Amino acid sequence: MDAAEFRRRGREMVDYVADYLENIEQRPVYPDLEPGYLRSLIPSEAPLEPESYEDVMKDVERVIMPGAASPACTELETVMLDWLGKMLQLPECFIAGTDGHGGGVIQGTASEATLISLLAARCKAIRRVQATNPEISEAEVLSKLVAYTSEQAHSSVERAALIGGVMMRKVPTDKTYAVGGHMLKQMVEEDKAAGFIPFYVTKHSGIECVCLFQFCATLGTTPSCAFDHTTELGPICNDENMWMHIDAAYAGSAFICPEFRPLLNGIEFADSFNFNPHKWLLVNFDCSAMWVKKRTDIIGAFKMEPLYLKHENQESGLVTDYRHWQIPLGRRFRSLKLWFVFRMYGLKGLQAHIRKQVALAKEFESLVRADKRFEICAEVIMGLVCFRLKGSNELNQNLLKKITKSQEIHLVPCQLSGRFVLRFAICARTTESRHIQQAWRHITQLTFELLQEPSH
């Protein structure tokens, strides 16, 4: 959709909304629909090829408006998360429209999804301990819980533990900045040797252990887009009865491409998984897709049933009450964004977008490698390139200051193995090869100026 069409469609949408408001009294106050009505009205999977805007808008009137805003808001979200889960080839246990016990939900951000999974894991752990030791208080169990995550994980993971009131331990990474099974296993064994055991409490001695209750794996770490070895980590988590949450906030979008899907192997061991379509899948903020293997785990942690929120279908099994899947009770109709994007791009169009941006990152990587003054600091797998000038951290900090002051491009740094590293991320929809070439010319010109300064 070019700028001219965007303007035209925008005017049409304003007219559509104005017509709706002008004639709202002619519409029924309450929908005359049976729970589950929507799933049969649309395909079970996202289209491969793009569809027209006109066709999507016709379906808004046919499929959405009879149930607007409820139950269409809820039911479209359930189906869209199924569409997206199938695009990712998630195990069936994560798909709502199957015989499994899981399903998907749209959270605002990956930070929310991480917190939700941690709170659900915490609740499940406390109830498990108290089921066999009812004399032990919840406060006593809570004081002994510990969670694990990578030392390269996003700060939001540590923040979730802070909010959840549990101990968080950081697992060291390997040379590729990823967590491997032996690293987690070693830490767990060390905890056991120190008197910590996973979820085992003797009936007569109170809690004399720390309960190892969650591990948060990262696929596409923030600093360098590293991928934890989930096929190694998953069995350990399952053996130790730990909840495994996989955070793929940025990189998860790429898993719709068959060539990147192996990076998600090990998902079958996870209890929950999330990524942000608003980061790399052409969906506007906010839209963080989250799936759980057992929806009862997450519902059990947040379910509240005051009289004013009760409804006739809540125990039917036909209705998904997303208020039990999140922190707020209210929610927006965010699944419409997914529905429009999936249909107007098609799976092939979205895959082409991902592949193009990965190719652009590879193009930038080749420019860096061709200049002997620079070095690549981490493997380039997706659309992120970590690089630096050979030399001191101060030299690279000064280069970043010049880049930032110039206001032509924006880079965000990170620390890798004690080194100050520049990060070149490609995620804007309109980025082309000419922008990559222009950015590199700008960086090398500023580098030349920096190296000419007396102190260098």
Side-chain angles (χ1 to χ4, degrees), residues 125-322:
I126 291 172
R127 289 177 179 176
R128 182 182 296 128
V129 172
Q130 290 188 318
T132 54
N133 298 270
E135 74 282 2
I136 300 172
S137 69
E138 179 175 326
E140 191 176 359
V141 180
L142 183 59
S143 69
K144 305 297 182 180
L145 293 178
V146 62
Y148 292 90
T149 193
S150 165
E151 64 180 3
Q152 293 287 317
H154 193 274
S155 61
S156 61
V157 179
E158 190 173 0
R159 192 165 181 260
L162 182 66
I163 295 171
V166 297
M167 185 191 312
M168 175 72 74
R169 299 198 62 192
K170 295 183 178 181
V171 184
T173 57
D174 60 20
K175 291 186 293 185
T176 65
Y177 307 107
V179 172
H182 68 282
M183 304 169 198
L184 177 62
K185 185 69 175 176
Q186 180 180 341
M187 185 170 283
V188 169
E189 293 300 329
E190 289 173 354
D191 288 343
K192 288 180 178 180
F196 305 145
I197 58 176
F199 283 176
Y200 177 76
V201 184
T202 57
K203 289 187 178 180
H204 303 292
S205 59
I207 300 182
E208 296 181 356
C209 65
V210 170
C211 299
L212 313 178
F213 83 108
Q214 190 199 43
F215 177 75
C216 181
T218 305
L219 298 181
T221 59
T222 301
S224 64
C225 200
F227 292 80
D228 290 342
H229 304 293
T230 48
T231 54
E232 300 175 10
L233 298 166
I236 297 171
C237 291
N238 289 180
D239 290 345
E240 300 291 347
N241 214 4
M242 289 192 290
W243 180 298
M244 184 165 82
H245 175 68
I246 296 179
D247 174 19
Y250 160 71
S253 297
F255 300 154
I256 67 171
C257 299
E259 63 269 32
F260 296 120
R261 176 56 179 77
L263 293 168
L264 188 56
N265 288 349
I267 182 65
E268 63 273 15
F269 299 107
D271 296 278
S272 54
F273 164 71
N274 88 277
F275 83 98
N276 294 343
H278 66 233
K279 273 194 168 69
W280 206 13
L281 209 59
L282 300 172
V283 177
N284 288 338
F285 184 86
D286 58 346
C287 184
S288 185
M290 177 186 185
W291 290 265
V292 291
K293 185 176 287 182
K294 294 182 180 178
R295 50 183 173 265
T296 53
D297 287 341
I298 196 170
I299 293 171
F302 299 101
K303 189 172 184 178
M304 301 287 288
E305 295 284 18
L307 180 61
Y308 50 82
L309 292 178
K310 289 182 180 292
H311 56 86
E312 61 183 3
N313 292 307
Q314 66 184 34
E315 302 299 336
S316 66
L318 300 173
V319 174
T320 300
D321 274 328
Y322 279 128

Side-chain angles (χ1 to χ4, degrees), residues 360 364 367 424 426 431-440:
L360 291 174
F364 185 82
L367 293 171
F424 187 89
I426 299 166
T431 304
E432 301 288 348
S433 175
R434 63 184 177 86
H435 299 118
I436 304 302
Q437 299 293 331
Q438 179 182 341
W440 182 242

Side-chain angles (χ1 to χ4, degrees), residues 78-135:
T78 302
V79 177
M80 287 304 99
L81 269 293
D82 278 1
W83 275 22
L84 186 52
K86 292 175 183 178
M87 291 160 65
L88 297 167
Q89 300 178 47
L90 292 183
E92 283 199 355
C93 56
F94 288 100
I95 306 299
T98 67
D99 295 330
H101 301 286
V105 59
I106 298 175
Q107 306 287 359
T109 64
S111 300
E112 291 176 43
T114 300
L115 176 60
I116 291 293
S117 69
L118 184 139
L119 294 177
R122 187 187 73 173
C123 179
K124 187 175 182 180
I126 291 172
R127 289 177 179 176
R128 182 182 296 128
V129 172
Q130 290 188 318
T132 54
N133 298 270
E135 74 282 2

Side-chain angles (χ1 to χ4, degrees), residues 31 33-38 66-77 319 333:
L33 297 167
E34 292 297 319
Y37 88 97
L38 187 145
S70 179
C73 178
T74 293
E75 296 195 11
L76 186 67
E77 182 164 336
V319 174
F333 205 157

Side-chain angles (χ1 to χ4, degrees), residues 10-23 57:
R11 287 190 289 267
E12 290 174 1
M13 185 58 71
V14 170
D15 288 340
Y16 184 88
V17 173
D19 289 343
Y20 172 82
L21 294 174
E22 192 173 43
N23 299 290
M57 286 304 299

Side-chain angles (χ1 to χ4, degrees), residues 302-415:
F302 299 101
K303 189 172 184 178
M304 301 287 288
E305 295 284 18
L307 180 61
Y308 50 82
L309 292 178
K310 289 182 180 292
H311 56 86
E312 61 183 3
N313 292 307
Q314 66 184 34
E315 302 299 336
S316 66
L318 300 173
V319 174
T320 300
D321 274 328
Y322 279 128
R323 58 193 165 99
H324 302 317
W325 296 52
Q326 60 180 26
I327 293 173
L329 290 175
R331 58 205 334 270
R332 299 182 299 285
F333 205 157
R334 289 177 290 204
S335 56
L336 277 175
K337 297 186 287 191
L338 292 174
W339 197 39
F340 270 69
V341 169
F342 292 165
R343 294 186 65 181
M344 294 191 67
Y345 278 87
L347 176 56
K348 290 185 177 179
L350 294 172
Q351 289 172 334
H353 164 71
I354 296 293
R355 288 166 177 151
K356 175 183 177 181
Q357 298 217 323
V358 173
L360 291 174
K362 290 292 186 180
E363 179 181 348
F364 185 82
E365 178 192 15
S366 68
L367 293 171
V368 175
R369 291 189 182 279
D371 191 322
K372 301 304 180 183
R373 297 172 298 178
F374 289 87
E375 59 183 333
I376 295 293
C377 304
E379 182 182 4
V380 178
I381 302 175
M382 302 282 179
L384 176 68
V385 182
C386 293
F387 72 106
R388 70 193 302 275
L389 263 174
K390 294 176 182 177
S392 67
N393 285 345
E394 182 183 4
L395 179 65
N396 284 276
Q397 289 167 352
N398 290 335
L399 175 58
L400 180 60
K401 287 178 183 177
K402 291 179 73 70
I403 292 171
T404 302
K405 188 176 181 180
S406 70
Q407 298 184 325
E408 287 196 26
I409 61 174
H410 179 61
L411 303 183
V412 176
C414 71
Q415 285 274 354

